[in-house]
Amino acid sequence: MSSFTKLAFWKTYLTPARFSNDQIPDLTGKVAIVTGANTGLGYATTVALAGHNCHVILACRSRERAEAAIEKARKEIKATYPRAAEAKLEFLELDLNDMTKAKKSAQDFLGRGLPIHILVNNSGIVGKHFVFTMTLLDRIKESQPSRIVILSSLAHEHPTEGGIDFETLNDESASTNRSRYGRSKLANLLFGKALARRLADTQVYCNIVHPGFVATDLARDRTTWARAFQVLFNVVRSVAAMTPKDGALTQLYAATSPEIVNKDIRGRYFIPIANELTPSPLAQDEALQEKLWAFSEAMVRQHVKA
């Protein structure tokens, strides 16, 4: 079986949509944090949440880009949601390239004294989001019922050999760019499912989503080969890809739909637009989930300053 047929991309095109923007409930009094909120899926998620009266914290690395996004979002919300209250949008500096900075960002937010009803881990790598999420977790529990949404991908079905090569994580010669990407998306799933299990006795609902083929800037690269590939990719994207507004609906479903609470759904994996998908056997391996959790905790102890 080819590597292409092993991937379940076809499932994203053959299942009917079961969620739309007008099904998002009124979110007055709710506070959300969206990472990578200044562009793409994060921006679309921010606009939809704020357009339904949620107080949204844009957790981004660049203040300049975040503030430009806030100004743009305010105008878009007024045009798209004329009945919405004045949009509550704030910037939170978050550098997911550094675990210590990720922890400090979470601590800075905690200092604001706000609750957290929705955390959308829209960008970044699992190790950094592990630090950010775990630092915020007590506040999220205090704010329950609350939601944690983790972005993954169907690419989790094609990781490195064995799923997570813990011994060679920093050895680029031991894997390819493609397999490392798949590994990172598998890690997001493993983290989400392990976290959901730990939250089983709470009203904190943690779920993982694959947004689908979305027209974003994720594939940007500066190499000559990558630029040539980008031309072809752009043609395919213009025909087949969803807009970020449509792609964000799956994570908005996990973040806002009453179905999540009513059905006590935890650790589920959703594909466009908000349809449930059974993840790969590796993603469902509880032993691998716990191994990654222990590895992440050890990494935090080693690299994160108090």
Side-chain angles (χ1 to χ4, degrees), residues 96-126:
L96 287 172
N97 290 319
D98 185 303
M99 285 189 288
T100 298
K101 290 181 179 179
K103 181 176 181 179
K104 183 180 184 303
S105 176
Q107 291 171 330
D108 288 346
F109 173 82
L110 295 175
R112 300 183 186 185
L114 293 170
I116 309 172
H117 302 103
I118 301 169
L119 170 62
V120 182
N121 283 331
N122 173 77
S123 64
I125 300 171
V126 68

Side-chain angles (χ1 to χ4, degrees), residues 187-290:
N188 286 342
L189 252 168
L190 295 170
F191 168 52
K193 292 182 79 65
L195 180 56
R197 193 162 53 250
R198 285 162 169 79
L199 295 169
D201 295 328
T202 72
Q203 293 187 67
V204 181
Y205 301 89
C206 177
N207 292 293
I208 313 101
V209 304
H210 164 57
F213 183 21
V214 183
T216 69
D217 293 331
L218 182 63
R220 288 180 300 179
D221 201 308
R222 296 183 180 275
T223 65
T224 301
W225 180 89
R227 285 198 299 270
F229 172 78
Q230 189 73 47
V231 173
L232 175 61
F233 179 82
N234 286 341
V235 172
V236 175
R237 182 173 63 178
S238 67
V239 175
M242 292 184 289
T243 65
K245 182 177 180 180
D246 288 335
L249 284 172
T250 305
Q251 57 206 64
L252 285 165
Y253 170 80
T256 68
S257 174
E259 292 184 7
I260 298 296
V261 172
N262 293 344
K263 296 183 179 180
D264 196 22
I265 296 174
R266 301 174 192 275
R268 299 294 179 91
Y269 183 45
F270 297 101
I271 62 171
I273 294 171
N275 292 284
E276 188 180 343
L277 172 69
T278 300
S280 70
L282 275 173
Q284 300 179 74
D285 185 338
E286 288 192 12
L288 186 58
Q289 294 166 18
E290 292 305 316

Side-chain angles (χ1 to χ4, degrees), residues 6-16 154 157 210 271-273 275-280:
K6 287 181 181 178
L7 294 171
F9 290 114
W10 59 270
K11 298 174 186 175
T12 70
Y13 295 100
L14 299 181
T15 54
L154 284 179
E157 297 183 2
H210 164 57
I271 62 171
I273 294 171
N275 292 284
E276 188 180 343
L277 172 69
T278 300
S280 70

